[in-house]
Amino acid sequence: MKKLLDVGCGPGTIGNVGLYETLKKDYAIYGIDFIKSNIRSIKNRFPQGKFSQADAISLPFDDNYFDAIFARHIFEHVENPEKVLTEIKRVLKPKSLLTIAVPHERLEQLLIKILPHNIEIERHHQRIFTEKGLINLLEKKGFTVISCRKG
């Protein structure tokens, strides 16, 4: 069976949209999150998965272990996105799929203007990514970008 890793799985946000349920017939679902309470929550919501508390800069998996990796809304939170990408590349099998989502740069900039003291942006988001900046970072770390869309 193929293996999928959800880096920064949170309390189960991808599970909310039914993605885990859809994929579980083809993939063993793994997830890591830095926050212990998120792991407890997702284990309750999706007991078939294999979830553990871990830091994305030191993934507790062997090289070339995963067939697909999701990293949804984590890169704006981490101190060193290059280290996280190095770890993702290490555990992802060659020619496999990495799916990344980050907040749209215009939305982030708008929120800063209209809510200058927004706790989420001030305390939790380390950076704002532009499309070009994210693509450059991925290519620098050896990934081939096959699609990029604004949503």
Side-chain angles (χ1 to χ4, degrees), residues 22-49:
T22 301
L23 293 172
K24 73 179 181 182
K25 66 180 188 280
D26 296 319
Y27 289 89
I29 308 289
Y30 294 72
I32 64 107
D33 198 279
F34 188 71
I35 301 170
K36 191 174 190 173
S37 61
N38 285 345
I39 296 302
R40 280 194 306 268
S41 177
I42 197 166
K43 281 181 175 181
N44 288 333
R45 298 175 75 202
F46 194 77
Q48 310 92 308

Side-chain angles (χ1 to χ4, degrees), residues 18 40-41 45 52 67 77 93 127 133 135 143:
R40 280 194 306 268
S41 177
R45 298 175 75 202
S52 57
D67 300 285
H77 294 277
K93 291 178 182 176
R127 72 201 41 77
I135 289 171
F143 290 94

Side-chain angles (χ1 to χ4, degrees), residues 15-137:
N16 288 346
V17 296
L19 191 55
Y20 289 157
E21 288 298 324
T22 301
L23 293 172
K24 73 179 181 182
K25 66 180 188 280
D26 296 319
Y27 289 89
I29 308 289
Y30 294 72
I32 64 107
D33 198 279
F34 188 71
I35 301 170
K36 191 174 190 173
S37 61
N38 285 345
I39 296 302
R40 280 194 306 268
S41 177
I42 197 166
K43 281 181 175 181
N44 288 333
R45 298 175 75 202
F46 194 77
Q48 310 92 308
K50 299 172 185 174
F51 301 98
S52 57
Q53 184 180 11
D55 193 323
I57 62 169
S58 182
L59 296 172
F61 305 103
D62 293 335
D63 295 357
N64 303 313
Y65 193 73
F66 291 99
D67 300 285
I69 295 180
F70 292 143
R72 185 177 176 272
H73 293 282
I74 67 154
F75 282 96
E76 66 273 14
H77 294 277
V78 298
E79 279 185 39
N80 192 329
E82 287 192 17
K83 281 187 179 180
V84 173
L85 283 171
T86 296
E87 272 297 277
I88 286 174
K89 188 158 185 69
R90 180 185 67 78
V91 301
L92 187 62
K93 291 178 182 176
K95 299 185 180 183
S96 293
L97 183 65
L98 167 62
T99 301
I100 294 176
V102 295
H104 193 282
E105 66 181 290
R106 284 196 209 147
L107 175 61
E108 294 272 88
Q109 291 164 347
L110 178 64
L111 286 175
I112 289 169
K113 281 183 181 176
I114 62 174
L115 301 169
H117 300 292
N118 182 301
I119 292 172
E120 176 67 17
I121 292 171
E122 282 184 3
R123 291 182 32 201
H124 299 295
H125 289 193
Q126 304 284 326
R127 72 201 41 77
I128 296 173
F129 282 98
T130 64
E131 180 179 335
K132 183 178 179 179
L134 183 58
I135 289 171
N136 287 342
L137 177 61

